[in-house]
Amino acid sequence: ISQNADAILAKLKKVNRRSYKIAYNSVGGFASVNHLHDQEFDYPDEKMPVEFSEKVKLFERSNVSIWQLKDWPARTIVLTGSDEEALKSELLKLVSVFHELNQPFNMMFSLDESGCSIYVFPRKFQGPTKFGTGVAYFELCGEVLFSKQEGKTVEESLKAYEEASEKDLTEEIASVGINGQEYDNILRLYEIPGDKLAKSADKLASNESLVRGQLEKNVRTILNWLTEREEMPSSYDMLWVMGSRSPRV
């Protein structure tokens, strides 16, 4: 994951376009293929909806500012800075906490006035959601997918889209968010990492392979793989950007 973080930050710097995004779904966060890679896309606008959310600063360490989002439906940690090595180091510390807790997560990397921002979404283990496609990095960033829902006709699914409200979209994103106690525990371990977590971060930085762990953990162990989400199931999927009634087909 250390090498991949290097590659992501280098790609952002090389492309040097704010609409260019790189994203990640962990195991348990709607990853679908277990091998190391990231997802890259050129967004139609400079910012995704999540990037407009107000940030509240938690603390600063090693030239990296650590924030949380004030009003976003799911609890979100944001790392910002222009020092690539320092950003990578802080990211590895946070990922080490997720590994220790078997915590699924999603991430999105973007350029902005601070240099680079990494939006990190600790989340519940993946499961069915109201609109049928599941909530991964794209939805957590404010783009909600609508598709033909199981047991419904195309017309019924389209009706669900037409009748959906901003409240429905907010609830869809919030449905995978972790609770306050879980979030506070992540921040506690991340802000003052113990010896075990520090060694884990060092191990990630040295590019050693992570141990998968016991299968009895119901595949909730988070591995250091970047994976892609499932393909959209049909040609009539639609996107709804939070705050907009204009679908993208």
Side-chain angles (χ1 to χ4, degrees):
I1 195 169
S2 177
Q3 288 180 336
N4 202 70
D6 284 334
I8 289 173
L9 295 172
K11 287 175 188 175
L12 286 172
K13 185 176 180 180
K14 183 176 181 179
V15 174
N16 194 28
R17 188 166 60 245
R18 291 192 178 185
S19 59
Y20 178 68
K21 316 294 181 185
I22 302 179
Y24 166 92
N25 293 328
S26 82
V27 173
F30 275 98
S32 58
V33 181
N34 290 330
H35 60 82
L36 187 64
H37 72 280
D38 50 71
Q39 300 185 55
E40 305 166 29
F41 58 102
D42 203 8
Y43 191 65
D45 304 308
E46 284 194 351
K47 293 184 176 183
M48 298 191 76
V50 70
E51 296 178 79
F52 291 99
S53 184
E54 182 181 350
K55 297 193 293 287
V56 177
K57 195 168 187 177
L58 297 173
F59 60 95
E60 188 166 339
R61 183 166 59 195
S62 304
N63 297 320
V64 176
S65 296
I66 294 88
W67 314 73
Q68 64 183 9
L69 297 187
K70 183 177 180 181
D71 298 315
W72 198 245
R75 290 178 173 87
T76 306
I77 300 168
V78 187
L79 311 180
T80 66
S82 57
D83 185 328
E84 293 181 16
E85 282 301 315
L87 269 174
K88 184 182 76 170
S89 176
E90 286 303 317
L91 178 60
L92 295 182
K93 290 174 185 175
L94 184 55
V95 169
S96 296
V97 173
F98 294 150
H99 281 256
E100 178 69 17
L101 299 175
N102 291 323
Q103 176 65 62
F105 63 101
N106 306 86
M107 295 192 294
M108 190 275 288
F109 298 74
S110 181
L111 290 177
D112 57 25
E113 59 278 358
S114 69
C116 176
S117 287
I118 308 172
Y119 289 78
V120 186
F121 308 93
R123 44 89 49 75
K124 295 176 184 174
F125 192 80
Q126 66 191 53
T129 53
K130 182 175 181 179
F131 299 122
T133 61
V135 175
Y137 80 85
F138 207 52
E139 290 77 14
L140 282 162
C141 288
E143 295 269 14
V144 177
L145 284 162
F146 286 67
S147 70
K148 182 179 179 301
Q149 295 164 297
E150 186 176 353
K152 292 186 177 181
T153 65
V154 175
E155 290 74 18
E156 289 171 332
S157 297
L158 287 170
K159 188 172 184 290
Y161 165 77
E162 292 293 341
E163 294 180 350
S165 65
E166 187 84 6
K167 180 174 181 290
D168 292 323
L169 301 182
T170 300
E171 289 176 351
E172 181 83 343
I173 296 172
S175 69
V176 304
I178 60 175
N179 63 41
Q181 183 177 354
E182 293 169 324
Y183 181 73
D184 290 344
N185 189 41
I186 288 170
L187 289 180
R188 178 181 60 81
L189 292 172
Y190 172 54
E191 188 170 1
I192 310 176
D195 291 341
K196 185 176 181 180
L197 288 174
K199 289 178 181 177
S200 179
D202 290 341
K203 187 175 183 180
L204 286 174
S206 67
N207 298 317
E208 295 180 30
S209 298
L210 290 178
V211 177
R212 180 165 187 149
Q214 299 177 351
L215 294 177
E216 288 75 19
K217 291 184 178 179
N218 297 322
V219 202
R220 290 175 184 263
T221 301
I222 308 305
L223 308 182
N224 63 330
W225 294 331
L226 291 183
T227 57
E228 66 183 10
R229 63 169 299 156
E230 300 174 54
E231 293 182 1
M232 293 300 99
S234 58
S235 61
Y236 39 79
D237 291 328
M238 295 171 291
L239 303 180
W240 186 349
V241 182
M242 286 193 71
S244 172
R245 290 295 307 185
S246 300
R248 295 176 185 168
V249 180

